[in-house]
């Protein structure tokens, strides 16, 4: 499988001393029996819509630079529009980034997402016309409000299906083919690069190679072509994962942060940010789910 990796400049300036992040950890309830595209129950969708408003209520006082929702955290295309409306308001300062997973979308819903009346960006490899009518999409959206106050959306479908997504019904999840490395700036002029993955992309394998390794190797080649090593600051892993602290996920974080190769992709100042859904509606310190975390090298 060919994964296209590109570097995307964004006109966003972040403070070099302290970047604040707000992580939303919602509890998900799916319609039963489970079936693709894994629709949420109506009550859950209403609750998650309210959580969007609550997150922005908190943001007005906490003033985070980055807001994170986990996999399936936005209950559909209307919820994406709801976030965009919050982001576009004058009450939200410029230089804000929000990254969120969207609940499973049919081909028609995905086409509607890609056609929202904002600056929506999606690679040709991930365009709606690449899907068959029988396929559905598990995608994330990166919302960027730049220093000038302009809002842009970037669509990134999941690359590697999880075990549940492979085993339910007809294995029809569309496999994404592109990842963007976003390049902002700190206020001291230094680059600030980050990218995001959806859950199993962090540990999955496609065509015999780990998805994460393929992304790093592709980015390494971009760096070598310009003979310029480049730093990564963050990778955001958006999860709906009953075992987010499973050894495979933690070992992947260790390898990402500590292995020297690929050499031109420098990660000595990087952090892995795992954003997972909750175990229950009320805070609960037990399995499954939960365990959102920062992992530093």
């Amino acid at each position: 499988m060919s994964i296209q990796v590109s570097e995307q400049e964004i006109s966003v300036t972040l403070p070099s001393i302290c970047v604040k992040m707000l992580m939303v950890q919602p509890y998900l309830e799916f319609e039963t029996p489970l079936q693709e595209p894994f629709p949420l129950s109506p009550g859950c969708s209403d609750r998650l819509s309210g959580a969007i408003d609550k997150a922005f209520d908190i943001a007005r006082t906490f003033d985070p630079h980055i807001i994170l929702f986990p996999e399936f955290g936005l209950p559909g295309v209307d919820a994406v529009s709801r976030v965009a409306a919050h982001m576009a308001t004058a009450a939200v300062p410029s230089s804000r980034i929000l990254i969120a997973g969207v609940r499973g979308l049919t081909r028609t819903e995905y086409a509607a997402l890609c056609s929202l009346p904002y600056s929506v960006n999606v690679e040709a490899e991930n365009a709606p016309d690449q899907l068959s009518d029988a396929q559905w999409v598990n995608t994330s959206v990166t919302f960027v409000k730049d220093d000038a106050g302009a809002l842009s959306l970037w669509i990134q479908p999941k690359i590697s299906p999880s075990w549940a997504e492979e085993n339910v019904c007809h294995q029809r999840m569309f496999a994404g083919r592109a990842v963007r490395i976003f390049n902002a700036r700190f206020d001291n002029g230094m680059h600030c690069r980050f990218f995001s993955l959806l859950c199993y992309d962090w540990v999955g394998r496609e065509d015999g190679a780990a998805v994460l390794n393929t992304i790093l190797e592709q980015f390494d080649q971009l760096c070598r072509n310009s003979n310029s090593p480049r730093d990564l600051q963050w990778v955001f892993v958006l999860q709906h994962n009953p075992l987010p602290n499973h050894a495979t996920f933690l070992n992947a974080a260790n390898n990402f942060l500590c292995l020297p190769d690929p050499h031109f992709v420098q990660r000595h100042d990087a952090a892995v940010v795992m954003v997972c859904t909750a175990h229950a509606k009320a805070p609960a310190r037990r399995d499954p789910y939960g365990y959102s975390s920062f992992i530093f090298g």
Side-chain angles (χ1 to χ4, degrees), residues 82-228:
R82 194 184 197 104
V83 170
H86 276 293
M87 293 282 285
T89 179
V92 175
S94 44
S95 296
R96 179 157 289 170
I97 297 163
L98 187 146
I99 308 172
V102 184
R103 66 121 169 102
L105 301 176
T106 64
R107 183 182 186 275
T108 299
E109 290 173 324
Y110 182 62
L113 172 66
C114 295
S115 301
L116 287 175
Y118 300 96
S119 175
V120 179
N121 303 274
V122 59
E123 289 83 352
E125 296 85 355
N126 291 337
D129 61 12
Q130 297 298 304
L131 278 70
S132 71
D133 289 338
Q135 287 182 303
W136 64 280
V137 179
N138 181 354
T139 190
S140 65
V141 180
T142 299
F143 303 75
V144 175
K145 188 173 185 181
D146 66 22
D147 291 340
L151 179 65
S152 299
L153 280 60
W154 309 87
I155 312 297
Q156 183 178 305
K158 191 173 186 178
I159 297 167
S160 189
S162 67
W163 296 314
E165 288 161 334
E166 286 185 313
N167 292 336
V168 174
C169 294
H170 306 295
Q171 304 181 22
R172 296 174 298 175
M173 192 194 88
F174 172 76
R177 291 291 183 268
V179 172
R180 289 183 186 262
I181 312 290
F182 290 93
N183 185 10
R185 292 273 182 170
F186 290 114
D187 57 15
N188 60 6
M190 299 296 290
H191 291 276
C192 172
R193 296 184 181 88
F194 64 90
F195 67 99
S196 62
L197 293 174
L198 278 167
C199 201
Y200 203 69
D201 290 350
W202 184 242
V203 297
R205 301 179 68 86
E206 297 294 333
D207 291 345
V211 170
L212 180 59
N213 290 349
T214 300
I215 293 168
L216 293 178
E217 289 164 4
Q218 292 275 359
F219 189 47
D220 182 74
Q221 190 58 54
L222 288 178
C223 300
R224 290 178 184 275
N225 290 344
S226 61
N227 196 31
S228 59

Side-chain angles (χ1 to χ4, degrees), residues 12 19 39 54 62 67 87 97 113 117 146 152-153 164 185 189 226 255 260 274 277 286 292:
V12 169
V19 174
K54 178 63 175 177
F62 178 59
I67 302 174
M87 293 282 285
I97 297 163
L113 172 66
D146 66 22
S152 299
L153 280 60
R185 292 273 182 170
S226 61
N255 294 340
M274 302 239 180
T277 53
R286 54 179 172 165
S292 295

Side-chain angles (χ1 to χ4, degrees), residues 202 205 210 212-214 216-217 220 224 230-232 248 250-270 272 295-297:
W202 184 242
R205 301 179 68 86
L212 180 59
N213 290 349
T214 300
L216 293 178
E217 289 164 4
D220 182 74
R224 290 178 184 275
R230 302 177 196 180
D231 290 322
L232 282 173
T248 54
L250 298 183
N251 285 337
N254 177 75
N255 294 340
F256 172 81
L257 293 168
C258 298
L259 294 183
D261 292 324
H263 180 67
F264 271 53
V265 182
Q266 299 181 345
R267 287 148 284 153
H268 52 272
D269 290 327
V272 177
I295 305 173
F296 297 92

Side-chain angles (χ1 to χ4, degrees), residues 22-26 28 47-57 59 66-75 79 82-83 86-87 97-102 139-141 143 196-198 236-240 273-277 292:
L22 172 62
M23 300 167 68
V24 181
Q25 186 170 280
L28 303 187
R47 182 164 46 80
L48 295 187
S49 294
I52 294 169
D53 299 336
K54 178 63 175 177
F56 279 94
D57 285 343
I66 299 173
I67 302 174
L68 303 163
F69 285 75
E71 184 178 29
F72 297 124
L74 299 185
R82 194 184 197 104
V83 170
H86 276 293
M87 293 282 285
I97 297 163
L98 187 146
I99 308 172
V102 184
T139 190
S140 65
V141 180
F143 303 75
S196 62
L197 293 174
L198 278 167
F236 301 103
V237 186
L238 313 181
Q239 303 184 58
H240 174 60
V273 184
M274 302 239 180
V275 188
C276 196
T277 53
S292 295

